[in-house]
Coordinates of all heavy atoms in Angstrom, one line a residue:
M1083 N 9.3 -24.8 -4.4 CA 7.8 -24.6 -4.5 C 7.4 -23.5 -3.6 O 7.7 -23.4 -2.5 CB 7.1 -25.9 -4.2 CG 5.6 -25.8 -4.5 SD 4.9 -27.4 -4.8 CE 4.3 -27.9 -3.2
S1084 N 6.6 -22.5 -4.2 CA 6.2 -21.4 -3.4 C 4.9 -21.8 -2.6 O 4.2 -22.6 -3.0 CB 5.9 -20.2 -4.3 OG 4.8 -20.5 -5.1
N1085 N 4.8 -21.1 -1.5 CA 3.6 -21.3 -0.6 C 2.5 -20.4 -1.2 O 2.6 -19.2 -1.2 CB 4.0 -20.9 0.8 CG 2.9 -21.1 1.8 OD1 1.7 -21.2 1.4 ND2 3.2 -21.1 3.0
P1086 N 1.4 -21.0 -1.6 CA 0.3 -20.3 -2.2 C -0.4 -19.3 -1.3 O -0.9 -18.3 -1.7 CB -0.7 -21.3 -2.7 CG -0.4 -22.6 -2.0 CD 1.1 -22.5 -1.6
I1087 N -0.4 -19.6 0.0 CA -1.0 -18.7 1.0 C -0.2 -17.5 1.1 O -0.7 -16.4 1.1 CB -1.2 -19.5 2.3 CG1 -2.2 -20.6 2.2 CG2 -1.7 -18.5 3.4 CD1 -2.3 -21.5 3.4
T1088 N 1.1 -17.6 1.3 CA 2.0 -16.5 1.4 C 2.0 -15.7 0.2 O 1.9 -14.4 0.2 CB 3.4 -17.0 1.7 OG1 3.4 -17.8 2.9 CG2 4.4 -15.8 2.0
A1089 N 2.0 -16.3 -1.0 CA 2.0 -15.6 -2.3 C 0.8 -14.7 -2.4 O 0.8 -13.6 -2.8 CB 2.2 -16.5 -3.4
A1090 N -0.4 -15.3 -2.1 CA -1.6 -14.6 -2.2 C -1.7 -13.5 -1.2 O -2.2 -12.4 -1.5 CB -2.8 -15.6 -2.1
S1091 N -1.3 -13.7 0.0 CA -1.4 -12.7 1.1 C -0.5 -11.5 0.8 O -0.9 -10.4 1.1 CB -1.0 -13.3 2.4 OG -2.0 -14.3 2.8
S1092 N 0.7 -11.8 0.3 CA 1.6 -10.7 0.1 C 1.2 -9.8 -1.0 O 1.7 -8.6 -1.1 CB 3.0 -11.2 -0.2 OG 3.1 -11.9 -1.4
S1093 N 0.4 -10.2 -1.9 CA -0.1 -9.4 -3.0 C -1.3 -8.5 -2.6 O -1.6 -7.6 -3.3 CB -0.4 -10.2 -4.2 OG -1.5 -11.0 -4.0
M1094 N -1.9 -8.8 -1.5 CA -3.1 -8.0 -1.1 C -2.7 -7.0 -0.1 O -1.7 -7.1 0.7 CB -4.1 -9.0 -0.4 CG -4.6 -10.0 -1.2 SD -5.8 -11.1 -0.5 CE -5.4 -11.2 1.2
T1095 N -3.4 -5.9 -0.1 CA -3.2 -4.9 1.0 C -3.8 -5.5 2.2 O -4.8 -6.0 2.3 CB -4.0 -3.6 0.6 OG1 -3.6 -3.1 -0.6 CG2 -3.8 -2.5 1.7
G1096 N -3.0 -5.4 3.3 CA -3.3 -6.0 4.5 C -2.8 -7.4 4.7 O -3.1 -8.1 5.6
G1097 N -2.0 -7.9 3.7 CA -1.4 -9.2 3.8 C -0.1 -9.3 4.6 O 0.3 -8.3 5.2
I1098 N 0.5 -10.4 4.6 CA 1.7 -10.6 5.4 C 2.8 -10.5 4.4 O 2.9 -11.1 3.4 CB 1.7 -12.0 6.0 CG1 0.6 -12.1 7.0 CG2 3.0 -12.3 6.7 CD1 0.4 -13.5 7.5
T1099 N 3.8 -9.6 4.7 CA 4.9 -9.4 3.8 C 6.2 -9.5 4.7 O 6.3 -8.8 5.6 CB 4.9 -8.0 3.1 OG1 4.8 -7.0 4.1 CG2 3.7 -7.9 2.2
G1100 N 7.1 -10.3 4.3 CA 8.4 -10.5 5.0 C 8.2 -10.8 6.4 O 9.0 -10.4 7.3
G1101 N 7.2 -11.6 6.8 CA 7.0 -12.0 8.1 C 6.2 -11.0 9.0 O 5.9 -11.2 10.1
R1102 N 6.0 -9.8 8.5 CA 5.3 -8.7 9.2 C 3.9 -8.6 8.6 O 3.7 -8.7 7.5 CB 6.0 -7.4 9.1 CG 7.3 -7.4 9.7 CD 7.9 -6.1 9.5 NE 8.4 -5.6 10.7 CZ 8.8 -4.4 11.0 NH1 8.8 -3.5 10.0 NH2 9.3 -4.0 12.1
R1103 N 2.9 -8.3 9.5 CA 1.6 -8.0 9.0 C 1.4 -6.6 8.7 O 1.6 -5.7 9.5 CB 0.6 -8.4 10.1 CG -0.8 -8.1 9.7 CD -1.8 -9.2 10.2 NE -3.1 -9.0 9.8 CZ -3.7 -9.4 8.7 NH1 -2.9 -10.2 7.9 NH2 -4.9 -9.2 8.4
R1104 N 1.0 -6.3 7.4 CA 0.8 -4.9 7.0 C -0.6 -4.5 7.5 O -1.6 -5.2 7.3 CB 0.9 -4.9 5.5 CG 0.6 -3.5 4.9 CD 1.0 -3.3 3.5 NE 2.4 -3.2 3.5 CZ 3.2 -3.3 2.4 NH1 2.6 -3.7 1.3 NH2 4.5 -3.1 2.5
V1105 N -0.7 -3.3 8.0 CA -2.0 -2.8 8.5 C -2.8 -2.4 7.3 O -2.4 -1.7 6.4 CB -1.7 -1.6 9.4 CG1 -3.0 -1.0 9.9 CG2 -0.8 -2.0 10.6
R1106 N -4.1 -2.8 7.4 CA -5.0 -2.5 6.3 C -5.5 -1.1 6.4 O -5.9 -0.7 7.5 CB -6.2 -3.5 6.3 CG -7.2 -3.2 5.2 CD -7.8 -4.4 4.7 NE -8.9 -4.4 3.8 CZ -9.1 -3.5 2.9 NH1 -8.4 -2.4 2.8 NH2 -10.1 -3.7 2.0
T1107 N -5.4 -0.3 5.4 CA -5.8 1.1 5.4 C -7.1 1.1 4.5 O -7.0 1.0 3.3 CB -4.8 2.0 4.7 OG1 -3.5 1.8 5.5 CG2 -5.2 3.4 4.8
P1108 N -8.3 1.4 5.1 CA -9.5 1.4 4.4 C -9.6 2.7 3.6 O -9.2 3.8 4.0 CB -10.6 1.3 5.4 CG -10.0 1.8 6.7 CD -8.5 1.5 6.5
G1109 N -10.1 2.6 2.3 CA -10.4 3.8 1.5 C -9.1 4.5 1.1 O -8.0 3.9 1.0
L1110 N -9.2 5.8 0.9 CA -8.0 6.6 0.4 C -7.2 7.0 1.7 O -7.8 7.7 2.6 CB -8.5 7.9 -0.3 CG -9.3 7.6 -1.6 CD1 -9.8 8.9 -2.1 CD2 -8.4 6.9 -2.6
P1111 N -6.0 6.6 1.7 CA -5.2 7.0 2.9 C -4.9 8.5 2.9 O -4.6 9.0 1.9 CB -3.9 6.1 2.8 CG -3.8 5.8 1.3 CD -5.2 5.8 0.8
S1112 N -4.9 9.1 4.1 CA -4.5 10.5 4.1 C -3.3 10.8 5.0 O -2.6 11.7 4.8 CB -5.7 11.3 4.7 OG -6.1 10.8 5.9
K1113 N -3.1 9.9 6.0 CA -2.0 10.0 6.9 C -1.6 8.6 7.4 O -2.4 7.8 7.6 CB -2.4 10.9 8.1 CG -1.2 11.4 8.9 CD -1.7 12.3 10.0 CE -1.6 13.7 9.5 NZ -1.8 14.7 10.6
C1114 N -0.3 8.4 7.6 CA 0.2 7.2 8.1 C 0.1 7.2 9.7 O -0.1 8.2 10.3 CB 1.7 7.0 7.7 SG 2.4 5.4 8.2
W1115 N 0.1 6.0 10.2 CA 0.1 5.9 11.7 C 1.2 6.6 12.4 O 1.1 7.1 13.5 CB 0.1 4.4 12.1 CG 1.4 3.7 11.8 CD1 1.7 3.0 10.7 CD2 2.6 3.7 12.5 NE1 3.0 2.5 10.7 CE2 3.6 3.0 11.8 CE3 3.0 4.3 13.7 CZ2 4.9 2.8 12.2 CZ3 4.3 4.1 14.2 CH2 5.3 3.4 13.4
C1116 N 2.3 6.9 11.7 CA 3.5 7.6 12.2 C 3.3 9.1 12.2 O 4.1 9.8 12.7 CB 4.8 7.2 11.5 SG 4.9 7.8 9.8
G1117 N 2.2 9.5 11.6 CA 1.9 11.0 11.5 C 2.4 11.7 10.2 O 2.0 12.8 10.0
K1118 N 3.1 11.0 9.4 CA 3.6 11.6 8.1 C 2.5 11.5 7.1 O 1.6 10.7 7.1 CB 4.8 10.8 7.6 CG 6.0 10.9 8.5 CD 6.5 12.3 8.6 CE 7.8 12.4 9.5 NZ 8.3 13.7 9.7
R1119 N 2.6 12.5 6.2 CA 1.6 12.5 5.1 C 1.8 11.4 4.1 O 2.9 10.8 4.0 CB 1.5 13.9 4.4 CG 2.8 14.2 3.7 CD 2.7 15.7 3.1 NE 3.9 16.0 2.4 CZ 4.1 15.9 1.1 NH1 3.1 15.4 0.4 NH2 5.2 16.2 0.6
I1120 N 0.8 11.2 3.2 CA 0.8 10.1 2.2 C 1.1 10.8 0.9 O 0.6 11.9 0.6 CB -0.5 9.4 2.1 CG1 -0.9 8.8 3.5 CG2 -0.5 8.4 1.0 CD1 0.1 7.8 4.0
I1121 N 2.0 10.2 0.1 CA 2.3 10.7 -1.3 C 1.9 9.6 -2.3 O 1.8 8.4 -2.0 CB 3.8 11.1 -1.4 CG1 4.7 9.9 -1.1 CG2 4.1 12.3 -0.5 CD1 6.2 10.1 -1.4
E1122 N 1.8 10.1 -3.6 CA 1.5 9.1 -4.7 C 2.8 8.9 -5.4 O 3.5 9.9 -5.7 CB 0.5 9.7 -5.6 CG -0.9 9.6 -5.1 CD -2.0 10.1 -6.1 OE1 -1.6 10.3 -7.3 OE2 -3.1 10.3 -5.7
L1123 N 3.1 7.7 -5.7 CA 4.3 7.3 -6.5 C 3.9 6.4 -7.6 O 2.8 5.8 -7.6 CB 5.3 6.6 -5.5 CG 5.8 7.5 -4.4 CD1 6.5 6.6 -3.4 CD2 6.7 8.6 -4.9
I1124 N 4.8 6.2 -8.5 CA 4.6 5.2 -9.6 C 5.6 4.1 -9.5 O 6.8 4.3 -9.3 CB 4.9 5.9 -11.0 CG1 3.9 7.1 -11.2 CG2 4.7 4.9 -12.1 CD1 4.1 7.9 -12.4
S1125 N 5.1 2.9 -9.5 CA 5.9 1.7 -9.4 C 6.8 1.5 -10.6 O 6.4 1.8 -11.7 CB 5.0 0.4 -9.3 OG 5.8 -0.7 -9.3
K1126 N 8.1 1.1 -10.3 CA 9.0 0.8 -11.4 C 9.4 -0.6 -11.4 O 10.4 -1.0 -12.0 CB 10.2 1.7 -11.2 CG 9.9 3.2 -11.4 CD 11.0 4.1 -11.2 CE 10.6 5.5 -11.3 NZ 11.2 6.4 -10.4
S1127 N 8.7 -1.5 -10.6 CA 9.0 -2.9 -10.5 C 8.5 -3.6 -11.8 O 7.6 -3.2 -12.5 CB 8.3 -3.5 -9.3 OG 6.9 -3.5 -9.4
K1128 N 9.1 -4.8 -12.0 CA 8.7 -5.6 -13.2 C 7.3 -6.1 -13.0 O 6.6 -6.1 -14.0 CB 9.7 -6.7 -13.4 CG 11.0 -6.3 -14.0 CD 11.9 -7.4 -14.3 CE 13.2 -6.9 -14.9 NZ 14.1 -8.0 -15.3
P1129 N 6.9 -6.6 -11.8 CA 5.5 -7.1 -11.8 C 4.4 -6.0 -11.9 O 3.3 -6.3 -12.3 CB 5.4 -7.8 -10.4 CG 6.8 -7.8 -9.8 CD 7.6 -6.8 -10.6
N1130 N 4.7 -4.8 -11.5 CA 3.7 -3.7 -11.5 C 4.3 -2.4 -12.2 O 4.2 -1.4 -11.6 CB 3.3 -3.4 -10.1 CG 2.6 -4.6 -9.5 OD1 1.5 -4.9 -9.9 ND2 3.2 -5.2 -8.5
P1131 N 4.7 -2.5 -13.4 CA 5.3 -1.3 -14.0 C 4.3 -0.2 -14.2 O 3.2 -0.5 -14.7 CB 5.9 -1.8 -15.3 CG 5.0 -3.0 -15.7 CD 4.7 -3.6 -14.4
Y1132 N 4.7 1.0 -13.8 CA 3.8 2.2 -14.0 C 2.5 2.2 -13.3 O 1.6 2.9 -13.6 CB 3.6 2.5 -15.5 CG 4.9 2.5 -16.3 CD1 5.2 1.5 -17.2 CD2 5.8 3.6 -16.2 CE1 6.4 1.5 -17.9 CE2 7.0 3.6 -16.8 CZ 7.3 2.6 -17.7 OH 8.5 2.6 -18.4
R1133 N 2.4 1.4 -12.3 CA 1.2 1.3 -11.5 C 1.3 2.3 -10.3 O 2.3 2.3 -9.6 CB 1.0 -0.1 -10.9 CG -0.3 -0.3 -10.2 CD -0.5 -1.8 -9.8 NE -1.7 -2.0 -9.2 CZ -2.0 -3.1 -8.5 NH1 -1.2 -4.1 -8.5 NH2 -3.2 -3.2 -7.9
W1134 N 0.3 3.2 -10.1 CA 0.3 4.2 -9.1 C 0.0 3.6 -7.7 O -0.8 2.7 -7.6 CB -0.7 5.3 -9.4 CG -0.3 6.2 -10.5 CD1 -0.5 5.9 -11.8 CD2 0.3 7.5 -10.4 NE1 0.0 7.0 -12.6 CE2 0.4 8.0 -11.7 CE3 0.7 8.2 -9.3 CZ2 1.0 9.2 -12.0 CZ3 1.2 9.5 -9.6 CH2 1.4 10.0 -10.9
Y1135 N 0.7 4.1 -6.7 CA 0.4 3.7 -5.3 C 0.6 4.8 -4.3 O 1.3 5.8 -4.6 CB 1.3 2.5 -4.9 CG 2.8 2.7 -4.9 CD1 3.5 3.1 -3.7 CD2 3.6 2.6 -6.1 CE1 4.8 3.3 -3.7 CE2 4.9 2.9 -6.1 CZ 5.6 3.2 -4.9 OH 6.9 3.4 -4.8
Y1136 N 0.0 4.7 -3.2 CA 0.1 5.6 -2.1 C 1.2 5.0 -1.1 O 1.2 3.8 -0.9 CB -1.2 5.7 -1.3 CG -2.3 6.3 -2.1 CD1 -3.4 5.5 -2.5 CD2 -2.3 7.7 -2.4 CE1 -4.5 6.1 -3.2 CE2 -3.4 8.2 -3.1 CZ -4.4 7.4 -3.5 OH -5.4 8.0 -4.2
R1137 N 2.0 5.9 -0.6 CA 3.0 5.5 0.3 C 3.3 6.6 1.4 O 3.2 7.8 1.1 CB 4.3 5.3 -0.4 CG 5.4 4.6 0.3 CD 5.1 3.2 0.7 NE 6.3 2.5 1.2 CZ 6.3 1.8 2.3 NH1 5.3 1.7 3.1 NH2 7.4 1.2 2.7
C1138 N 3.6 6.1 2.6 CA 4.0 7.0 3.7 C 5.3 7.8 3.3 O 6.2 7.2 2.7 CB 4.3 6.2 4.9 SG 5.1 7.1 6.3
L1139 N 5.3 9.1 3.5 CA 6.4 9.9 3.1 C 7.7 9.5 3.8 O 8.8 9.4 3.1 CB 6.2 11.4 3.4 CG 7.3 12.4 3.1 CD1 7.6 12.4 1.6 CD2 6.9 13.8 3.6
Y1140 N 7.6 9.1 5.0 CA 8.8 8.7 5.8 C 9.3 7.4 5.2 O 10.5 7.3 4.9 CB 8.4 8.4 7.3 CG 9.5 7.8 8.1 CD1 10.5 8.5 8.5 CD2 9.4 6.4 8.4 CE1 11.5 8.0 9.3 CE2 10.4 5.9 9.2 CZ 11.5 6.6 9.6 OH 12.5 6.0 10.3
A1141 N 8.5 6.4 5.0 CA 8.9 5.1 4.4 C 9.5 5.2 3.0 O 10.4 4.6 2.7 CB 7.8 4.1 4.5
A1142 N 8.8 6.1 2.2 CA 9.3 6.3 0.8 C 10.6 7.0 0.8 O 11.5 6.6 0.0 CB 8.3 7.2 0.1
S1143 N 10.9 8.0 1.7 CA 12.1 8.7 1.7 C 13.3 7.8 2.1 O 14.4 8.0 1.7 CB 12.0 9.9 2.6 OG 11.9 9.6 3.9
L1144 N 13.0 6.8 3.0 CA 14.1 5.9 3.4 C 14.1 4.6 2.6 O 14.9 3.7 2.8 CB 13.9 5.5 4.9 CG 14.0 6.7 5.9 CD1 13.8 6.2 7.3 CD2 15.4 7.3 5.8
R1145 N 13.2 4.5 1.6 CA 13.0 3.4 0.7 C 12.9 2.1 1.5 O 13.5 1.0 1.3 CB 14.2 3.2 -0.2 CG 14.3 4.4 -1.2 CD 15.4 4.2 -2.2 NE 15.6 5.3 -3.0 CZ 15.1 5.5 -4.2 NH1 14.4 4.5 -4.7 NH2 15.3 6.5 -4.9
L1146 N 12.0 2.2 2.6 CA 11.7 1.0 3.4 C 10.9 0.0 2.6 O 10.1 0.3 1.8 CB 11.0 1.4 4.7 CG 11.7 2.4 5.6 CD1 10.8 2.7 6.8 CD2 13.0 1.8 6.1
E1147 N 11.1 -1.3 2.9 CA 10.4 -2.4 2.3 C 9.9 -3.3 3.5 O 10.6 -3.4 4.5 CB 11.2 -3.2 1.3 CG 11.6 -2.4 0.1 CD 12.4 -3.2 -0.9 OE1 12.5 -4.4 -0.7 OE2 13.0 -2.6 -1.8
N1148 N 8.8 -3.9 3.3 CA 8.2 -4.9 4.2 C 8.1 -4.3 5.6 O 8.4 -4.9 6.6 CB 9.1 -6.2 4.3 CG 9.1 -6.9 2.9 OD1 8.1 -6.9 2.2 ND2 10.2 -7.4 2.6
D1149 N 7.6 -3.1 5.7 CA 7.4 -2.4 6.9 C 5.9 -2.2 7.2 O 5.1 -2.7 6.4 CB 8.1 -1.0 6.9 CG 7.5 -0.2 5.7 OD1 6.5 0.5 5.9 OD2 8.1 -0.3 4.6
D1150 N 5.5 -1.6 8.3 CA 4.1 -1.4 8.6 C 3.6 0.0 8.3 O 2.5 0.4 8.8 CB 3.8 -1.8 10.0 CG 4.7 -1.1 11.0 OD1 5.6 -0.3 10.6 OD2 4.5 -1.2 12.2
H1151 N 4.3 0.8 7.5 CA 3.9 2.1 7.1 C 2.9 1.9 5.9 O 2.9 0.9 5.2 CB 5.0 3.0 6.7 CG 5.9 3.4 7.9 ND1 5.7 4.5 8.7 CD2 7.0 2.7 8.4 CE1 6.6 4.5 9.6 NE2 7.4 3.5 9.5
V1152 N 2.1 3.0 5.7 CA 1.1 2.9 4.7 C 1.6 2.6 3.3 O 2.6 3.2 2.8 CB 0.2 4.2 4.6 CG1 -0.7 4.2 3.4 CG2 -0.6 4.3 5.9
F1153 N 1.0 1.6 2.6 CA 1.3 1.3 1.2 C -0.1 0.8 0.7 O -0.7 -0.1 1.2 CB 2.3 0.2 1.0 CG 2.4 -0.3 -0.4 CD1 3.3 0.3 -1.3 CD2 1.6 -1.3 -0.9 CE1 3.4 -0.1 -2.6 CE2 1.6 -1.7 -2.2 CZ 2.5 -1.1 -3.1
K1154 N -0.5 1.4 -0.4 CA -1.8 1.0 -1.0 C -1.8 1.3 -2.5 O -1.4 2.4 -2.9 CB -3.0 1.6 -0.3 CG -4.3 1.0 -0.7 CD -5.4 1.4 0.2 CE -6.6 0.5 -0.1 NZ -7.6 0.8 0.9
W1155 N -2.2 0.4 -3.3 CA -2.3 0.7 -4.7 C -3.5 1.6 -4.9 O -4.6 1.4 -4.3 CB -2.6 -0.6 -5.5 CG -1.5 -1.6 -5.4 CD1 -1.5 -2.8 -4.8 CD2 -0.2 -1.5 -6.1 NE1 -0.2 -3.4 -5.0 CE2 0.6 -2.6 -5.7 CE3 0.4 -0.5 -6.8 CZ2 1.9 -2.8 -6.2 CZ3 1.7 -0.6 -7.3 CH2 2.4 -1.8 -6.9
V1156 N -3.3 2.6 -5.8 CA -4.4 3.6 -6.1 C -5.6 2.9 -6.6 O -6.7 3.2 -6.2 CB -3.9 4.7 -7.0 CG1 -5.0 5.6 -7.5 CG2 -2.8 5.5 -6.3
D1157 N -5.4 2.0 -7.5 CA -6.6 1.3 -8.1 C -7.4 0.4 -7.2 O -8.5 0.1 -7.4 CB -6.2 0.5 -9.4 CG -5.2 -0.6 -9.1 OD1 -4.5 -0.6 -8.1 OD2 -5.0 -1.4 -10.0
E1158 N -6.8 0.1 -6.0 CA -7.5 -0.7 -5.0 C -8.1 0.3 -4.0 O -9.1 -0.1 -3.3 CB -6.6 -1.6 -4.3 CG -6.1 -2.7 -5.1 CD -5.1 -3.6 -4.4 OE1 -4.8 -3.4 -3.3 OE2 -4.6 -4.6 -5.1
A1159 N -7.6 1.5 -3.9 CA -8.1 2.5 -2.9 C -9.5 3.0 -3.2 O -10.3 3.2 -2.4 CB -7.1 3.6 -2.7
F1160 N -9.7 3.3 -4.5 CA -11.0 3.9 -4.9 C -12.2 3.0 -4.7 O -13.2 3.5 -4.2 CB -10.9 4.4 -6.4 CG -10.1 5.7 -6.5 CD1 -8.8 5.6 -7.0 CD2 -10.7 6.9 -6.1 CE1 -8.1 6.8 -7.1 CE2 -10.0 8.0 -6.2 CZ -8.7 8.0 -6.7
P1161 N -12.1 1.7 -5.1 CA -13.3 0.9 -4.7 C -13.6 0.8 -3.2 O -14.7 0.8 -2.8 CB -12.9 -0.5 -5.3 CG -11.9 -0.2 -6.4 CD -11.2 1.0 -5.9
D1162 N -12.5 0.8 -2.4 CA -12.6 0.7 -1.0 C -13.4 2.0 -0.5 O -14.3 2.0 0.3 CB -11.3 0.7 -0.3 CG -10.7 -0.7 -0.3 OD1 -11.3 -1.6 -0.7 OD2 -9.5 -0.8 0.2
E1163 N -13.0 3.2 -1.1 CA -13.6 4.4 -0.7 C -15.1 4.5 -1.1 O -15.9 4.9 -0.3 CB -12.8 5.6 -1.4 CG -13.3 6.9 -1.0 CD -12.8 7.4 0.4 OE1 -12.0 6.7 1.0 OE2 -13.3 8.4 0.9
I1164 N -15.4 4.0 -2.2 CA -16.8 4.0 -2.7 C -17.6 3.0 -1.8 O -18.7 3.3 -1.5 CB -16.8 3.6 -4.2 CG1 -16.3 4.7 -5.0 CG2 -18.3 3.2 -4.6 CD1 -16.0 4.3 -6.5
Q1165 N -17.0 1.9 -1.5 CA -17.7 0.9 -0.6 C -18.0 1.5 0.7 O -19.1 1.3 1.3 CB -16.9 -0.4 -0.5 CG -17.7 -1.4 0.3 CD -16.9 -2.7 0.4 OE1 -15.7 -2.7 0.2 NE2 -17.5 -3.8 0.7
Q1166 N -17.1 2.3 1.3 CA -17.3 3.0 2.6 C -18.5 4.0 2.5 O -19.2 4.2 3.4 CB -16.1 3.7 3.1 CG -15.0 2.7 3.6 CD -13.8 3.5 4.1 OE1 -13.6 4.6 3.8 NE2 -13.1 2.8 5.0
L1167 N -18.6 4.7 1.3 CA -19.6 5.7 1.1 C -21.0 5.0 1.0 O -22.0 5.6 1.3 CB -19.4 6.5 -0.1 CG -18.1 7.4 0.0 CD1 -17.9 8.1 -1.4 CD2 -18.2 8.4 1.1
D1168 N -21.1 3.8 0.5 CA -22.3 3.1 0.4 C -23.0 2.7 1.7 O -24.2 2.4 1.7 CB -22.1 1.8 -0.5 CG -21.9 2.1 -1.9 OD1 -22.2 3.2 -2.4 OD2 -21.5 1.2 -2.7
Y1169 N -22.3 2.7 2.8 CA -22.8 2.3 4.1 C -23.3 3.4 4.9 O -23.1 4.4 5.0 CB -21.8 1.5 4.9 CG -21.5 0.2 4.2 CD1 -20.2 -0.1 3.6 CD2 -22.4 -0.9 4.2 CE1 -19.9 -1.3 3.0 CE2 -22.1 -2.1 3.5 CZ -20.9 -2.2 3.0 OH -20.6 -3.5 2.4

C-alpha cells in the first residue's frame, strides 16, 4: 500500500522525493543554486509524456534524480510567475 502523503508530496514542486526535500523555486527559474543555467527539456516518462520542464544544466547533463537541483514543470511555473506579479 502506498503512502498518500509521500505520493502527493513527490508530485509537487517543493515536495519530498527519495527522502530529500526539493527546494521550491518560485516563478520561472533562471539559475540553479549551484550557479548553472536552467534549460527546458521534454519528459519522456510514462506518467508525463511530452510534458515540458525546467532543469538545472548540471543535473540534466549527469541525469541526476532525486537531487536538490532545480526541477520545475513549465505549466506550473507560469501561474507562479503571474501570482508573483500580482503582489
Side-chain angles (χ1 to χ4, degrees):
M1083 184 154 94
S1084 69
N1085 182 342
I1087 295 171
T1088 304
S1091 296
S1092 65
S1093 66
M1094 298 183 327
T1095 302
I1098 298 171
T1099 57
R1102 296 178 129 191
R1103 177 141 181 93
R1104 178 167 282 162
V1105 178
R1106 179 146 174 26
T1107 305
L1110 299 173
S1112 58
K1113 192 177 269 191
C1114 185
W1115 63 265
C1116 69
K1118 297 294 183 183
R1119 66 185 177 93
I1120 302 301
I1121 59 174
E1122 286 185 7
L1123 298 167
I1124 300 173
S1125 173
K1126 296 175 183 144
S1127 68
K1128 285 186 179 185
N1130 296 293
Y1132 307 108
R1133 190 175 178 192
W1134 286 84
Y1135 63 96
Y1136 296 110
R1137 188 69 167 126
C1138 167
L1139 178 61
Y1140 173 78
S1143 65
L1144 296 178
R1145 297 182 186 263
L1146 298 178
E1147 293 181 13
N1148 299 324
D1149 56 87
D1150 55 352
H1151 292 271
V1152 170
F1153 171 91
K1154 188 165 193 174
W1155 295 112
V1156 170
D1157 59 345
E1158 293 177 0
F1160 284 105
D1162 283 354
E1163 185 75 9
I1164 292 167
Q1165 186 176 18
Q1166 285 183 339
L1167 295 174
D1168 286 343
Y1169 293 110

